[in-house]
Amino acid sequence: LAGWGPPVPLTGWGRTAPTAARTLRPRSAEEAARAVRGCGARGAIARGLGRAYGDAAQNAGGAVLDMTGLDRVHAVDAEQGLVVCDAGVSLHRLMRCLLY
């Protein structure tokens, strides 16, 4: 997989059942799309901060997209209760954006 790093150990918030997967941290939606198209039949899993209790953002022996590089909040519509943001926006960043 071009541009992907070597397999690294990954766990979720519970730190149980660690696995190893190649990772890539895309910097744009286009780069993420290219990565998904080029990672083969096994596919890729998008991963945020790795805080899922069920360790869901792992893909043992496969590919994982570290989405934390895509962390912009693009629009907030308080009247409609809608936010448009990138996949890597943390809940902390979103709360700061909405509360301040």
Side-chain angles (χ1 to χ4, degrees):
L1 302 172
W4 294 81
V8 296
L10 297 171
T11 65
W13 189 256
R15 302 213 187 275
T16 61
T19 64
R22 295 184 177 276
T23 62
L24 179 71
R25 187 174 189 210
R27 297 294 184 172
S28 69
E30 294 78 19
E31 187 178 349
R34 279 193 310 272
V36 169
R37 284 192 299 268
C39 66
R42 186 165 173 87
I45 290 178
R47 178 183 177 91
L49 295 173
R51 295 182 179 160
Y53 284 103
D55 298 333
Q58 297 174 222
N59 192 8
V64 175
L65 293 173
D66 174 350
M67 300 305 288
T68 59
L70 297 170
D71 64 349
R72 291 178 296 153
V73 175
H74 297 279
V76 175
D77 184 335
E79 285 186 25
Q80 295 292 318
L82 298 173
V83 176
V84 177
C85 61
D86 292 343
V89 172
S90 69
L91 290 176
H92 180 259
R93 182 172 175 134
L94 183 58
M95 286 189 301
R96 286 182 56 91
C97 182
L98 297 173
L99 297 175
Y100 298 106

